[in-house]
Amino acid sequence: MTAAVVAGLLAGYGIAIPVGAVGAHLVAVTARTGWRTGVGAALGVATADGVYALLAVAGGAALVPVLAPVMDPFRWASAIVLVMLAARAAWLALAAYRTGGLASRDDGTALTPARAFLTFLGITILNPVTVTYFAALILAAGPSTPVGLPDRTAFVLAALAASASWQLLLALGGTLLGRTLTGTRGRLATALASSTLTVVLAVRLVGEGVVW
């Protein structure tokens, strides 16, 4: 079981640590709304990773050819949602700046921790690359692939814990950023920069699935 835990931790950190569009948006949302909402968002991302880890150990090899035809539509859907969220965040930041209300942590969207959890769960679950990643690890492991319910459970829980710890670290970074940049101009610049970064990474997400 120890080997399964180690494998799960490595798999969880392997998929979580590269900060993409979702990670950038997580930091921005936390900076804007506070740590409680950030925790909800972080757990949403981690839950999606845990679900895909579960799917991988339950039959990831069989799922890869099934998901292959819908990978590009899912990438596009994920990118579109992220661009819409980034545009909305930028628009709200500009509107708040004009009224002098950007220094407040509440951007008027009433994004509760529960809503943040569901939003980020949905964004992350749209990306089937995650299940392909976990399935590839399972296939590459060969004889050391987790077998039996205890080992598979340990693998999934370890992957979930690894992803959650990293996403919570990103949320902490967003919290510290929000506390540091309390000035109106600073918070506007941060909001616009994070929105731009999210759009760029979302475009790259789509580009990775294009064969040139």
Side-chain angles (χ1 to χ4, degrees), residues 103-202:
S104 171
R105 281 228 158 170
D106 185 5
D107 63 2
T109 63
L111 185 63
T112 64
R115 283 184 59 187
F117 174 87
L118 294 175
T119 298
F120 278 81
L121 173 64
I123 293 172
T124 310
I125 214 77
L126 279 172
N127 188 7
V129 173
T130 311
V131 72
T132 306
Y133 166 84
F134 279 112
L137 287 179
I138 296 297
L139 291 173
S144 60
T145 298
V147 293
L149 184 59
D151 282 350
R152 291 187 175 190
T153 301
F155 176 88
V156 172
L157 292 178
L160 176 63
S163 178
S165 65
W166 182 258
Q167 305 305 333
L168 288 171
L169 182 62
L170 291 180
L172 174 62
T175 301
L176 296 176
L177 183 64
R179 288 179 178 175
T180 302
L181 299 175
T182 54
T184 303
R185 291 184 179 178
R187 294 184 66 80
L188 174 63
T190 303
L192 295 179
S194 64
S195 294
T196 302
L197 177 60
T198 301
V199 171
V200 170
L201 292 173

Side-chain angles (χ1 to χ4, degrees), residues 45-129:
V45 177
T47 299
D49 287 344
V51 168
Y52 276 135
L54 177 61
L55 289 175
V57 297
L63 287 172
V64 171
V66 175
L67 287 172
V70 297
M71 290 281 278
D72 284 341
F74 272 164
R75 282 196 187 96
W76 275 99
S78 181
I80 289 171
V81 170
L82 284 165
V83 169
M84 290 175 61
L85 289 171
R88 184 168 183 268
W91 181 82
L92 288 170
L94 286 169
Y97 177 76
R98 293 191 187 102
T99 60
L102 197 63
S104 171
R105 281 228 158 170
D106 185 5
D107 63 2
T109 63
L111 185 63
T112 64
R115 283 184 59 187
F117 174 87
L118 294 175
T119 298
F120 278 81
L121 173 64
I123 293 172
T124 310
I125 214 77
L126 279 172
N127 188 7
V129 173

